[in-house]
Amino acid sequence: MTVLVTGGAGYIGSHMVWELLDAGEDVVVLDRLSTGFEWAVAPEAKLVVGDVGDIGLVSSIVRKHKVDAVIHFAGSIVVPESVTDPLGYYENNTSKTRSLLEAVVRENVPHFIFSSTAAVYGGAGLEPVREDAPLKPESPYGVSKLMTEWMLRDTAAAHGLRYTALRYFNVSGADPRGRTGQSTPGATHLIKVACETATGKRPWMQVYGTDYPTPDGTCIRDYIHVSDLVAAHRLALARLRAGGDSLTANCGYSHGYSVLEVIDSVHRVHGADFDVRIAGRRPGDAPAVIANSDLARQELGWRPNYDDLDRIVADALNWERLLARKNVAHGIQTPEPDNRLALPVKRVRTKS
Ligand code: UDP
């Protein structure tokens, strides 16, 4: 039995591949390498460079490798980009998953695990959000993922496929053993941006808004270590193979940190100051998004090992340093980060 990991050369997918190999699984990766890297795929996994929307290719991989489960990460993930290119997002995330599912059904693959997102809920509040909360995605990205959840539900009902859709909160950090991490240039996610600033890849960073209805005025998110996230997938796979029903579950720690608390952590762990500036709100940001993760704990037996902000930051910083060396080794030029999104109005120095 082999597990097919789509997007296995990307950030979360490459961690999943290591997690599966560590558990003794055979793994084949399908990735078109548009944002992922060949070097990010563990050498013990077989890499097929191609598109998840290619039904013939997926069918042949399933047959050749006797695939019994697909873990589907491939897709586009930048929320503001989805606002300017909704059709691109519906194509990449929704249409191509439809094709992937067609191949899965055609080849009778029994198990499917899907990367969904907290963005299906839209603006949440300070209260942790449960899976049965109203689904009101506020971006084409969130809609593209929710449509896929629905497509999966209907396909499973019609064809006997069983699936797990995991709704990710703010995935961050890197493999504690330094084997892979978040490597895509032009990152927009807070912990990555702060680590790039701390390590000198960016001259400064911005805090998007300090006037939110939260204790310190900055947005609160539930940051989950990528290793805990992929462990939840491994448990979901075991549950499906043991005959478990289809399930949709949140993946987060059930508590959050503000933007300033995250930046404090990066200062603390890095041990040196860096330039942080206050800017206006970033369009579309909800004040707080926190998971209720009771369901994942109950159904998957999920017990996080890295629920500690400084640990997440330490692994992210470590990866940032390793990546700088890796990029030099692979002759990759680091593009100039785009810091022009909002003009700085004031400098802040958070506690270090
Ligand atoms: N954020 C920030 N500066 C940055 C990047 C992000 O202040 O350079 C804030 C962003 O406005 C949000 C939080 O950090 O309130 C988390 O943003 P991120 O893009 O990491 O994840 P999101 O929750 O938007 O998916």
Side-chain angles (χ1 to χ4, degrees):
M1 285 190 303
T2 300
V3 181
L4 169 58
V5 179
T6 76
Y11 171 41
I12 304 172
S14 62
H15 286 82
M16 186 77 246
V17 171
W18 279 113
E19 175 81 13
L20 291 166
L21 293 170
D22 289 347
E25 299 279 350
D26 290 324
V27 180
V28 57
V29 168
L30 175 59
D31 198 302
R32 64 179 179 172
L33 300 180
S34 56
T35 54
F37 302 91
E38 192 171 346
W39 54 255
V41 179
E44 293 80 4
K46 166 107 179 84
L47 170 65
V48 178
V49 179
D51 201 294
V52 293
D54 184 338
I55 297 174
L57 176 63
V58 174
S59 294
S60 71
I61 293 170
V62 167
R63 276 200 298 271
K64 180 169 175 202
H65 296 277
K66 299 189 174 38
V67 169
D68 83 311
V70 174
I71 308 185
H72 179 38
F73 296 99
S76 303
I77 56 158
V78 183
V79 173
E81 188 181 65
S82 80
V83 176
T84 54
D85 181 22
L87 294 178
Y89 272 65
Y90 295 132
E91 166 70 7
N92 256 349
N93 291 353
T94 314
S95 300
K96 287 190 179 180
T97 307
R98 199 213 71 85
S99 300
L100 175 65
L101 284 173
E102 187 164 329
V104 159
V105 166
R106 200 182 276 181
E107 300 300 330
N108 296 311
V109 179
H111 311 124
F112 196 93
I113 299 178
F114 174 57
S115 304
S116 191
T117 168
V120 298
Y121 297 116
L126 286 165
E127 281 301 302
V129 62
R130 283 169 36 134
E131 289 80 359
D132 56 4
L135 300 172
K136 291 185 194 154
E138 288 173 358
S139 65
Y141 168 69
V143 175
S144 73
K145 289 285 186 175
L146 182 56
M147 289 198 293
T148 308
E149 279 194 15
W150 287 338
M151 195 162 55
L152 199 47
R153 177 197 62 194
D154 297 342
T155 307
H159 298 287
L161 173 76
R162 280 176 297 111
Y163 71 89
T164 306
L166 295 175
R167 292 179 178 158
Y168 308 164
F169 283 64
N170 288 62
V171 187
S172 36
D175 178 44
R177 292 165 65 183
R179 296 173 297 184
T180 186
Q182 166 65 284
S183 312
T184 317
T188 58
H189 288 144
L190 177 63
I191 291 181
K192 173 83 176 168
V193 167
C195 290
E196 285 183 354
T197 313
T199 54
K201 204 181 271 182
R202 293 174 189 252
W204 43 275
M205 65 168 293
Q206 297 173 115
V207 174
Y208 297 136
T210 52
D211 58 349
Y212 285 96
T214 58
D216 68 14
T218 64
C219 292
I220 294 175
R221 295 289 182 273
D222 187 337
Y223 295 92
I224 169 178
H225 195 294
V226 62
S227 295
D228 279 333
L229 180 77
V230 296
H233 291 66
R234 181 179 40 74
L235 293 167
L237 176 64
R239 182 179 168 279
L240 288 172
R241 282 177 173 165
D245 292 336
S246 293
L247 174 75
T248 299
N250 290 337
C251 281
Y253 291 148
S254 303
H255 59 84
Y257 293 97
S258 73
V259 173
L260 292 181
E261 285 173 329
V262 168
I263 293 171
D264 272 350
S265 169
V266 179
H267 273 137
R268 194 164 49 238
V269 176
H270 180 58
D273 209 0
F274 53 89
D275 190 350
V276 179
R277 305 175 186 193
I278 301 294
R281 289 185 178 198
R282 191 174 68 174
D285 277 341
V289 186
I290 302 167
N292 176 315
S293 54
D294 291 350
L295 194 62
R297 291 169 199 263
Q298 283 157 19
E299 288 290 330
L300 305 179
W302 183 58
R303 300 286 177 271
N305 286 319
Y306 302 98
D307 179 0
D308 171 8
L309 183 60
D310 284 3
R311 175 62 201 260
I312 294 174
V313 164
D315 287 338
L317 270 170
N318 183 43
W319 177 251
E320 215 49 62
R321 296 186 186 110
L322 290 170
L323 183 62
R325 276 182 249 152
K326 215 177 255 293
N327 282 345
V328 170
H330 287 82
I332 296 167
Q333 299 280 324
T334 308
E336 281 295 302
D338 189 354
N339 270 336
R340 295 162 303 171
L341 288 173
L343 286 173
V345 292
K346 179 171 110 187
R347 282 187 181 213
V348 287
R349 185 171 288 249
T350 55
K351 295 190 290 262
S352 44

